[in-house]
Amino acid sequence: MAQFLDEVSRTFSEYLLIPGLTTKECIPHLVNLQTSVVKFKKGEESSVKINIPFVSAIMQSVSDDGMAIALAKNGGLAFVYGSQSIETQAEMIHKVKNYKSGFVISRANLTPEHTLADIVALKERTGFSTIGVTEDGTSNGRLLGIVTGRDYRPTRDDHNRKLKEFMTPYSKLVYGEYGISLQEANDLIWTNKLNCLPIIDKDQNLRYFVFRKDYESHKEYPNEVSDGKKRLVVGAGINTRDYEERVPALIEAGADVLCIDSSDGFSIWQKETLEYIKTTYGEKVKVGAGNVVDRDGFLYLAEAGADFVKIGVGGGSICITREQKGIGRGQATALIEVAKARDEYFEKTGVYIPICSDGGIVQDYHMVLALSMGADFLMMGRYFARFDESPTRKLLIGGNYVKEYWGEGSNRARNWQRYDMGGADGLKFEEGVDSYVPYAGKLKDNIEITLGKIKSTMCSCGVTNLKELKAKAKITLVSSTSIIEGGAHDVIVKDSRN
């Protein structure tokens, strides 16, 4: 007969934190959110750390090179999605590792044959008003001109006009040569009274833009995560099928850490992938594994060589694995059990293997709960999909701006490798949906608010770092009535728009 677990499978919403003694040291700006990403031995330091406990999900609709750059600058880490060709994923990694602060890769580009209607549509989707006009319409194509908001009037001009008729042509552009320093680029901007400066290589290919408006905002990012060569840190997703070809290319491109992307990490396929990487590269290449939801799954991957383990099955906002297959576990319950196993493993072996909570985050306070329950860092998809820096389109639907967001198990993504069961067949049914999330603006603005909440909550718990939070947090279960009590009740809430 099947084994039955008596414990109820619980979510973060069923718990609250109990306040601890708030001392004079418990001030938000003194809270340290640095955390380890990969395993380390007792008395040693992890070789990969991040300054905020956030990593972005390994998803087409979340983590490309743009998200990776933005998140690393703000203290976190992005795992560039692996459900694409090896060449394009490696190129994304290469772009992140070669990024220079203040030098912006153009993410809005057209050809001279495109029309004003295309510009209006592109601006509506992306929010970008500076358009690079290149020979092939790509971000690194041969630069032929630039279009800014000063070059057209969308309410008066003919939307069928081609860009070549009103763009500022290359012959009239002031530009910087690839290799120029940021200070030299800013000097050119101010001397020539420009709003933006294109940076081109010797073949006239567009490499970057430097913007006047970024002169002030591109001051030091205090939380920026970089490697020993002052390059941004970036992760990459891999699968259990083509790892022998994909991993070498990603390492060559500069990926700092890899992660096997799968809905079910408790499998022989992950063990074989981990063993190949560790046998081939030793401990030089760091690779996480998952997802699992219990002690047995964690120990299996730990013994197989995982540098971190990802926790969660079916808890993501676009995931329907539980609905389709009846498999998974409440994220809080899964995290609590695995964290206990992780700590016991550390005591037994002297090796600390960080765990990543993946999914189940609905409210910002759930993040603090997850960290207090033992997570070393959090992987989030919906949270990051809402921002300008995610790779999806911004649309106006029902009077509100939204961004597209789809699961890797959806028919749109067709990432059947993530749900690989070892056979020759591909994806037979969906385990994710295609959806929208409310548009939220820039990553930096939103993440500062979220981090402010986390730090304030930690101060109320009487702690100033994540290690103290795990050790000292007091957590209580709440009833359904208590959850209602926790929100606004028995009042008529004013409409904030009035």
Side-chain angles (χ1 to χ4, degrees):
M1 141 172 219
Q3 178 184 359
F4 287 86
L5 303 183
D6 293 330
E7 185 178 7
V8 175
S9 183
R10 299 189 182 279
T11 66
F12 295 130
S13 292
E14 296 177 77
Y15 293 91
L16 286 175
L17 288 155
I18 300 294
L21 175 63
T22 302
T23 65
K24 291 182 179 180
E25 289 74 34
C26 294
I27 303 171
H29 79 268
L30 295 180
V31 173
N32 183 353
L33 295 177
Q34 188 180 76
T35 190
S36 299
V37 174
V38 299
K39 68 183 177 185
F40 57 93
K41 294 180 180 179
K42 190 173 184 178
E44 299 180 356
E45 294 282 329
S46 174
S47 62
V48 180
K49 290 186 174 183
I50 49 180
N51 292 321
I52 63 172
F54 295 169
V55 302
S56 64
I58 310 170
M59 300 173 67
Q60 296 172 7
S61 56
V62 179
S63 297
D64 67 347
D65 51 295
M67 177 60 71
I69 290 169
L71 191 47
K73 287 173 65 177
N74 284 281
L77 173 70
F79 284 90
V80 173
Y81 69 93
S83 52
Q84 57 179 319
S85 72
I86 295 172
E87 293 73 23
T88 55
Q89 187 185 18
E91 177 59 25
M92 286 187 182
I93 298 296
H94 180 77
K95 286 180 179 179
V96 179
K97 299 306 291 186
N98 286 275
Y99 171 82
K100 295 181 181 179
S101 181
F103 293 83
V104 180
I105 295 173
S106 179
R107 302 186 74 184
N109 306 280
L110 295 170
T111 71
E113 298 300 317
H114 279 94
T115 66
L116 177 55
D118 295 315
I119 287 183
V120 172
L122 184 61
K123 185 177 180 181
E124 187 75 13
R125 289 199 310 271
T126 65
F128 300 126
S129 57
T130 299
I131 311 297
V133 184
T134 60
E135 196 167 61
D136 59 2
T138 67
S139 60
N140 294 123
R142 187 165 178 266
L143 183 65
L144 301 180
I146 290 177
V147 174
T148 70
R150 297 179 302 174
D151 295 319
Y152 60 88
R153 297 176 297 178
T155 57
R156 296 188 181 185
D157 293 349
D158 181 2
H159 281 215
N160 291 317
R161 289 182 67 198
K162 293 187 176 181
L163 271 61
K164 62 184 180 183
E165 298 176 25
F166 61 91
M167 69 182 187
T168 301
Y170 175 78
S171 60
K172 294 185 179 180
L173 290 176
V174 176
Y175 55 84
E177 296 182 357
Y178 183 57
I180 190 174
S181 70
L182 183 59
Q183 181 177 342
E184 291 170 333
N186 280 320
D187 287 343
L188 278 176
I189 287 174
W190 285 92
T191 300
N192 294 279
K193 300 179 180 180
L194 305 173
N195 284 323
C196 73
L197 179 75
I199 307 298
I200 63 170
D201 61 21
K202 57 183 179 61
D203 297 317
Q204 201 178 313
N205 295 318
L206 177 62
R207 300 302 296 263
Y208 304 107
F209 279 123
V210 178
F211 292 95
R212 173 188 286 263
K213 64 180 175 64
D214 290 337
Y215 181 76
E216 288 297 326
S217 63
H218 275 298
K219 293 178 179 178
E220 291 295 317
Y221 281 79
N223 286 325
E224 185 173 281
V225 183
S226 57
D227 62 19
K229 297 180 180 179
K230 303 299 182 183
R231 303 175 302 176
L232 296 180
V233 171
V234 61
I238 61 173
N239 61 64
T240 57
R241 283 281 182 164
D242 64 6
Y243 54 87
E244 293 188 24
E245 295 79 35
R246 189 175 294 269
V247 170
L250 297 177
I251 297 304
E252 175 67 24
D256 297 279
V257 57
L258 308 175
C259 183
I260 305 172
D261 183 30
S262 173
S263 66
D264 178 13
F266 198 178
S267 76
I268 186 65
W269 316 115
Q270 291 225 358
K271 182 180 180 181
E272 290 180 350
T273 303
L274 288 167
E275 288 177 343
Y276 165 80
I277 293 172
K278 293 303 179 180
T279 300
T280 306
Y281 298 98
E283 292 302 320
K284 291 188 298 181
V285 173
K286 305 300 181 181
V287 54
N291 288 19
V292 298
V293 295
D294 65 1
R295 173 189 180 86
D296 292 342
F298 169 81
L299 292 175
Y300 182 82
L301 295 177
E303 293 298 334
D307 288 292
F308 68 87
V309 176
K310 206 143 62 78
I311 315 304
V313 172
S317 60
I318 41 70
C319 183
I320 54 173
T321 295
R322 298 179 193 174
E323 180 181 310
Q324 291 281 51
K325 297 171 65 175
I327 195 166
R329 199 176 196 185
Q331 188 67 8
T333 301
L335 185 54
I336 291 167
E337 179 175 321
V338 173
K340 183 178 180 181
R342 182 267 320 275
D343 294 343
E344 291 174 353
Y345 186 86
F346 178 51
E347 289 299 318
K348 179 181 177 181
T349 66
V351 177
Y352 186 91
I353 301 178
I355 57 176
C356 169
S357 179
D358 178 15
I361 301 293
V362 180
Q363 307 292 341
D364 284 355
Y365 82 88
H366 291 168
M367 300 177 189
V368 192
L369 279 167
L371 294 167
S372 67
M373 289 174 179
D376 293 282
F377 54 98
L378 314 175
M379 177 172 281
M380 297 181 289
R382 180 192 60 84
Y383 179 84
F384 291 112
R386 305 171 300 147
F387 303 148
D388 286 325
E389 293 81 1
S390 74
T392 62
R393 296 184 299 168
K394 184 177 75 171
L395 305 171
L396 183 62
I397 296 179
N400 297 306
Y401 282 104
V402 297
K403 292 207 74 176
E404 295 177 303
Y405 180 46
W406 60 91
E408 289 297 292
S410 67
N411 192 54
R412 179 171 183 171
R414 299 299 293 174
N415 182 12
W416 64 267
Q417 292 94 337
R418 188 177 198 274
Y419 303 86
D420 185 15
M421 301 300 289
D425 295 333
L427 192 68
K428 292 297 186 184
F429 57 90
E430 292 184 288
E431 292 189 42
V433 299
D434 197 343
S435 65
Y436 302 111
V437 289
Y439 169 68
K442 294 185 179 298
L443 179 148
K444 182 176 177 61
D445 297 338
N446 285 273
I447 215 167
E448 286 177 353
I449 295 171
T450 297
L451 294 176
K453 292 180 183 179
I454 291 174
K455 291 178 178 181
S456 178
T457 303
M458 289 174 63
C459 287
S460 293
C461 291
V463 301
T464 57
N465 60 62
L466 297 180
K467 185 176 181 180
E468 289 181 351
L469 179 66
K470 292 182 179 68
K472 297 181 179 180
K474 293 183 288 185
I475 305 171
T476 181
L477 275 168
V478 295
S479 67
S480 57
T481 305
S482 179
I483 293 172
I484 295 172
E485 179 187 61
H489 59 91
D490 301 319
V491 295
I492 300 172
V493 180
K494 292 182 180 179
D495 189 336
S496 61
R497 293 170 294 181
N498 295 334

